[in-house]
Amino acid sequence: MIKRKNILKIAIDSPAAAGAGTLAKSISKHYNLIYLDTGKIYRFIAYLKIRYPKKFNNKFIKSKIKYLKIKDLENKFLLSDEVGTKASIIAKNKSLRKLVHTFQLNFAYNPPKKYKGSCLDGRDITYNIVPDADFKFYITANVKIRALRRYKELKKLNKLIKYEDVLKSIKKRDKSDQNRKISPLKKTKDSLLINTTNLNKRACFLKIKKIIDKKINI
Ligand code: C5P
């Protein structure tokens, strides 16, 4: 694998709906980094399983990952709670995780020249995908707040959705992501904890920006 030298690498891990995606996007834009929401890859694979149940095997997934483009990950079908739940089940599979490993490494270590670096968020980024990141963050928030945020997002796609169901589903996903054997969600010792429960988007962004600017001397 080609590794570009002197690039800025940011790694973020977080439980579902903690606001990591929004934050990572604004940070990436500010520092001109390529951004990858790695959860979307697992969601994409879950979607493939729903759409092509008969063809679904490692060979099929591999062929789809080979030509995977960021644009494919923007498909709004990937946002549903059903896909998120299926993604967390699929994500427990070691051989499947291996299939998407290289895709993520390429993003992290070899971003296109127009970018100054990369920012990835997910569950195992700080210790598995980009262990040598310049900055590592663990972004979290109270589970009820996370459920409320996710509920508001999902309400736009599905008017019938209920808050209680979203809360239940997020709790279930936390448990599954944290307790699985392969690449569980955890805060590594060298990650900075950012709790977004009582912070709005702007305040979160400024908090992270301050940490980064201090170290890179802007
Ligand atoms: O972040 P998001 O909710 O879109 O992720 C969907 C699921 O994909 C997570 O619940 C988790 O099980 C899985 N995932 C993972 N490793 C990552 C990112 C996501 O296992 N790096």
Side-chain angles (χ1 to χ4, degrees):
M1 189 199 32
I2 304 166
K3 284 191 178 185
R4 259 181 71 193
K5 291 205 176 81
N6 299 320
I7 58 169
L8 177 65
K9 297 188 294 293
I10 300 180
I12 301 172
D13 283 322
S14 74
T22 315
L23 251 178
K25 257 185 226 159
S26 56
I27 289 289
S28 302
K29 200 169 169 204
H30 183 80
Y31 293 101
N32 189 22
L33 312 172
I34 195 163
Y35 166 61
L36 179 64
D37 170 357
T38 63
K40 285 276 170 64
I41 308 172
Y42 295 98
R43 283 174 179 260
F44 177 74
I45 297 172
Y47 168 74
L48 289 178
K49 187 169 185 183
I50 298 167
R51 177 92 199 270
Y52 308 99
K54 288 202 182 113
K55 283 190 195 167
F56 193 82
N57 58 31
N58 277 1
K59 200 176 154 208
F60 177 69
I61 300 167
K62 211 172 167 179
S63 70
K64 290 285 180 188
I65 298 292
K66 199 172 167 188
Y67 299 104
L68 185 61
K69 298 271 171 303
I70 280 285
K71 236 184 141 230
D72 302 324
L73 300 179
E74 284 161 4
N75 189 329
K76 76 170 192 300
F77 290 120
L78 304 186
L79 299 175
S80 77
D81 198 43
E82 184 202 355
V83 172
T85 303
K86 285 227 160 56
S88 82
I89 296 168
I90 280 171
K92 291 182 187 172
N93 185 305
K94 195 174 175 180
S95 64
L96 188 142
R97 297 193 75 87
K98 261 197 185 155
L99 294 178
V100 296
H101 203 102
T102 319
F103 182 84
Q104 298 176 71
L105 292 184
N106 253 321
F107 252 90
Y109 292 94
N110 192 22
K113 285 277 181 303
K114 66 174 179 176
Y115 295 103
K116 287 198 175 125
S118 61
C119 176
L120 275 70
D121 72 7
R123 303 293 187 281
D124 60 342
I125 309 303
T126 56
Y127 67 94
N128 194 21
I129 308 296
V130 200
D132 63 343
D134 301 280
F135 294 95
K136 296 184 183 183
F137 297 102
Y138 184 82
I139 298 176
T140 189
N142 170 297
V143 69
K144 286 185 180 159
I145 290 287
R146 288 194 276 125
L148 188 66
R149 289 177 187 161
R150 182 52 51 90
Y151 166 74
K152 284 180 184 164
E153 267 172 31
L154 292 174
K155 189 98 181 149
K156 287 180 206 157
L157 301 169
N158 170 11
K159 296 243 178 314
L160 297 174
I161 199 132
K162 290 198 190 82
Y163 168 77
E164 285 305 325
D165 292 339
V166 177
L167 179 65
K168 226 189 260 170
S169 153
I170 287 202
K171 281 185 176 167
K172 203 170 152 194
R173 204 128 71 81
D174 278 0
K175 212 167 166 189
S176 146
D177 288 352
Q178 284 160 358
N179 297 320
R180 70 184 182 207
K181 284 204 182 76
I182 317 290
S183 300
L185 167 69
K186 60 182 178 194
K187 181 197 165 294
T188 60
K189 279 191 185 140
D190 58 356
S191 295
L192 287 161
L193 178 75
I194 306 283
N195 190 323
T196 71
T197 306
N198 298 309
L199 297 176
N200 64 24
K201 287 177 192 163
R202 181 75 186 154
C204 292
F205 168 77
L206 291 174
K207 192 167 180 167
I208 291 191
K209 181 179 173 295
K210 203 170 159 190
I211 295 166
I212 298 177
D213 288 352
K214 205 169 158 191
K215 199 166 156 190
I216 62 175
N217 288 321
I218 282 183

